[in-house]
Amino acid sequence: MTRRPVTRRPVTRRAAAAVALPLACGLLLTGTGCGGGGKKDAADAGASPTGSAERQKFAKTRFVANAGLAAGASYQWIIKPYRNGAFKKGAEGRTVALVKAGLAGTFAYNRFKAAMNNAKGDPALSKAVAPLGAGIESLKGLTTKFRKGEATDGDAGAFDGVINSVKDAGKGAGAPVTDKVPSYSEVQKG
């Protein structure tokens, strides 16, 4: 048995890049996930990656995103089925429509609450949405009514009223809200 000599091919740039790129990405992802977990320095505690003007921009952006998701979910699974008569006793698919409305109501309530928190980062937006807190809180009880099948025409109208109030307040503060319908799986997660 004779051995054949092993010939090595020269490493090409493409082959090196094919190995180096995933390795570098893996190291970056692993490195950013590892934290010291210890106490922060006093200098680090006050450090912020953005200035106050940027935080205000991001506050408006986050407000618009959260309020848009809430409005889209409410419209898709509460207001539109209500207008089509899906919540009336004896309507075909009523139970499914009510369950979806309950989930969408919970999702919308959570997104509206997040939008209210986002609005605190912008003085004009904060003033504009401050009076809407009670209306948003009232949605919490309405979601239970939808889930139990006890929702009335007025309950669907209440969602519509809150959505329009939030949109008007956002528009007045320079943060116009447009409906963005989330996927049903996002609504299910809450």
Side-chain angles (χ1 to χ4, degrees):
M1 190 159 126
T2 56
R3 290 186 168 180
R4 283 185 14 193
V6 177
T7 58
R8 295 185 184 215
R9 291 185 206 158
V11 177
T12 63
R13 286 185 184 180
R14 183 177 286 170
V19 172
L21 184 62
L23 181 63
C25 289
L27 290 173
L28 284 173
L29 290 174
T30 305
T32 59
C34 299
K39 296 179 181 178
K40 290 187 175 187
D41 292 348
D44 289 342
S48 173
T50 58
S52 62
E54 287 181 54
R55 262 184 276 152
Q56 288 177 0
K57 272 189 211 172
F58 292 138
K60 279 186 177 181
T61 302
R62 289 191 309 255
F63 169 82
V64 168
N66 282 317
L69 285 169
S74 296
Y75 180 75
Q76 183 70 26
W77 288 290
I78 297 173
I79 297 165
K80 194 162 86 173
Y82 156 71
R83 289 181 182 158
N84 293 334
F87 299 150
K88 292 182 180 177
K89 290 190 188 256
E92 188 176 328
R94 178 178 186 255
T95 304
V96 173
L98 288 171
V99 169
K100 286 181 177 182
L103 290 171
T106 302
F107 178 85
Y109 171 75
N110 289 336
R111 292 300 88 215
F112 276 134
K113 290 292 286 182
M116 291 293 284
N117 285 335
N118 298 140
K120 293 176 184 174
D122 182 72
L125 194 55
S126 180
K127 285 179 187 177
V129 299
L132 305 177
I136 291 172
E137 281 302 316
S138 72
L139 298 181
K140 188 174 186 178
L142 294 179
T143 60
T144 306
K145 290 175 87 174
F146 278 110
R147 268 193 234 120
K148 291 181 178 180
E150 301 169 353
T152 64
D153 295 344
D155 296 329
F159 265 95
D160 199 20
V162 170
I163 291 168
N164 290 331
S165 297
V166 171
K167 284 182 173 182
D168 290 344
K171 186 176 181 181
V177 175
T178 56
D179 294 359
K180 182 177 184 322
V181 179
S183 69
Y184 188 64
S185 62
E186 288 177 303
V187 171
Q188 288 176 318
K189 292 176 187 175

